[in-house]
Amino acid sequence: MWQPLSPSVPTTTVVCVDISWIRRWQFAVPGFGGCRHIRGIVLTNEAASPTIASDWLAARTGPRILDGSRVAGIVAIGERFMAGVSTLEEVHLGEAFLSSVNRIGGEFFRGCTSLTALNLSTLGTQAQLTSIPSHFLSNCGALRELTLSRMDHVTSVGDHFLSAAASLEAIDLCEAMPNLTALGSSFLSSCVRLRYAKFGQALSVVCNVPSDFLSRCKSLVSLDLTMLRSVTAIQASFLQGCSSLSELLLPRFASSNEEVEGPPLDHGSQLRKIGKFFLSQCASLAYVDVEFFRNVTDIGDSFLTGCCRLADMSGVFPTLPLSSVVTVGANFLQDCSNLTAFDFGVFEHHLSQFNSAGLFSGCSSLADVGNLD
């Protein structure tokens, strides 16, 4: 016997909705009362419609459970599928519903603040889903468990992917998205309880790290980003505010007498630009081994500000001179209170633009500054 809803949900508040007659703003009409009295929605698809219209559920409170286990053959899901349904607690979609989906509109489950778990393990497995839209699961503050399918055809992720998922503690994208080439801004930002993030080679061909990449993930302790070997630019607020981060692994490149793991790159690091607030307020970070700084030309404002445990800059700036750097922004190394010495000789006097505002401000232990002229 089919039992789609939890026993705690009164059957008198369950509605059965056929996808074939869903239209934009279908539930916005007064007859449905804005869904305030609906506790469960069961989807059917008797006419085998391949699409779900945008904005079909104009609800902000009401439905606690969505059951789509009777639906099959969905190809496209419109904008704001369940966005803003703050009372939604359970979702049952099933393989028949998800496997043929090749297009998803933005704000898929955005703002479903009561949703604790979501199983998307069969999403697009029999289709060629190529992108994850903006605000895919943003502001899902109660989400603790997310299961994703292996999406080999997905190459891009939109802005605010899982941003502000305040209860999420771990995510592994190694198998889920192995062929990513582009990331949107605020990728996993403000996931304040996130302690574990694993990417494997999923980011190995990404050239641009967007703004607010994993920013304000204040419970993150360790992170391996050695796969970022193709990066040419890191935008603003890279890992900004990750106050518990104590171990960060970034790419290193082989010299003539050194071997490194992964595919060799004869030309070395491709990184040229570092945006403002790079690793700022990472108060637990005591060491940064950034070999790929060697070809950087531009360093933005507030570089490493508030990294109060940094004492030895030899790891941050390798012994190789950074002769490529021509621009350094304001508040350089501000509030690095344990920093004892810094030698500007690493730039080989090639700086053409240096903003001295806030330079070494709050560096109370700094006793030796060399070649500042």
Side-chain angles (χ1 to χ4, degrees):
M1 180 178 179
W2 179 58
Q3 294 180 322
L5 302 177
S6 298
S8 60
V9 181
T11 56
T12 55
T13 60
V14 174
V15 296
C16 193
V17 180
D18 194 276
I19 290 172
S20 63
W21 58 261
I22 284 177
R23 298 293 181 269
R24 188 177 180 89
W25 306 116
Q26 186 75 49
F27 281 79
V29 298
F32 284 96
C35 295
R36 286 190 300 273
H37 305 296
I38 297 174
R39 293 296 176 264
I41 296 178
V42 179
L43 295 177
T44 61
N45 195 13
E46 294 180 6
S49 173
T51 64
I52 297 178
S54 298
D55 298 302
W56 71 278
L57 185 64
R60 293 301 176 264
T61 59
R64 288 172 49 193
I65 297 178
L66 174 70
D67 193 299
S69 58
R70 286 184 166 186
V71 174
I74 298 300
V75 174
I77 299 174
E79 303 284 330
R80 293 167 290 280
F81 174 60
M82 292 296 289
V85 185
S86 59
T87 51
L88 187 67
E89 297 174 1
E90 296 181 36
V91 175
H92 309 283
L93 295 180
E95 181 177 1
F97 185 109
L98 293 170
S99 61
S100 56
V101 173
N102 61 32
R103 184 177 64 82
I104 301 174
E107 303 183 44
F108 184 47
F109 277 92
R110 180 183 185 178
C112 292
T113 54
S114 299
L115 187 64
T116 59
L118 185 61
N119 187 343
L120 299 176
S121 60
T122 58
L123 179 62
T125 53
Q126 296 179 21
Q128 293 192 1
L129 183 66
T130 59
S131 64
I132 300 298
S134 297
H135 292 282
F136 181 64
L137 284 165
S138 65
N139 298 104
C140 292
L143 189 67
R144 295 192 300 269
E145 182 179 345
L146 174 64
T147 306
L148 294 172
S149 64
R150 181 179 176 93
M151 295 176 277
D152 287 323
H153 298 288
V154 169
T155 58
S156 66
V157 172
D159 297 341
H160 295 278
F161 172 79
L162 273 171
S163 65
S167 299
L168 191 68
E169 296 185 359
I171 187 166
D172 187 338
L173 296 181
C174 294
E175 298 297 326
M177 302 178 193
N179 298 310
L180 284 177
T181 60
L183 301 177
S185 62
S186 299
F187 180 82
L188 289 168
S189 67
S190 299
C191 294
V192 295
R193 294 185 183 176
L194 189 69
R195 298 179 58 84
Y196 174 84
K198 189 174 181 181
F199 302 108
Q201 295 303 308
L203 307 180
S204 61
V205 294
V206 170
C207 295
N208 180 65
V209 177
S211 59
D212 287 294
F213 176 85
L214 282 165
S215 64
R216 297 177 295 280
C217 293
K218 62 182 183 181
S219 298
L220 194 63
V221 175
S222 178
L223 187 62
D224 184 350
L225 294 177
T226 53
M227 78 296 297
L228 294 177
R229 301 174 65 86
S230 302
V231 168
T232 59
I234 295 176
Q235 305 302 331
S237 302
F238 175 81
L239 293 172
Q240 181 186 14
C242 294
S243 54
S244 299
L245 188 66
S246 59
E247 182 183 31
L248 175 63
L249 301 178
L250 290 167
R252 303 192 77 244
F253 297 87
S255 60
S256 58
N257 57 355
E258 180 185 15
E259 293 184 359
V260 296
E261 295 182 0
L265 296 178
D266 295 336
H267 50 278
S269 173
Q270 301 180 67
L271 182 63
R272 299 296 182 267
K273 176 187 176 182
I274 296 175
K276 60 184 179 180
F277 300 111
F278 178 84
L279 290 175
S280 72
Q281 308 306 319
C282 291
S284 301
L285 199 60
Y287 181 76
V288 184
D289 184 5
V290 191
E291 176 77 7
F292 69 158
F293 274 25
R294 68 171 74 191
N295 294 324
V296 167
T297 59
D298 298 282
I299 296 176
D301 294 346
S302 302
F303 176 81
L304 293 173
T305 58
C307 293
C308 54
R309 290 195 61 199
L310 280 176
D312 181 7
M313 300 304 292
S314 62
V316 177
F317 292 107
T319 54
L320 290 174
L322 299 180
S323 57
S324 299
V325 175
V326 294
T327 303
V328 175
N331 303 318
F332 182 73
L333 297 175
Q334 186 180 45
D335 294 324
C336 293
S337 55
N338 277 351
L339 183 64
T340 57
F342 185 81
D343 188 349
F344 276 88
V346 295
F347 298 118
E348 286 196 335
H349 307 285
H350 289 166
L351 289 175
S352 61
Q353 183 177 343
F354 183 84
N355 190 335
S356 60
L359 175 64
F360 297 136
S361 173
C363 296
S364 56
S365 300
L366 188 63
D368 183 15
V369 178
N371 294 294
L372 181 59
D373 51 37

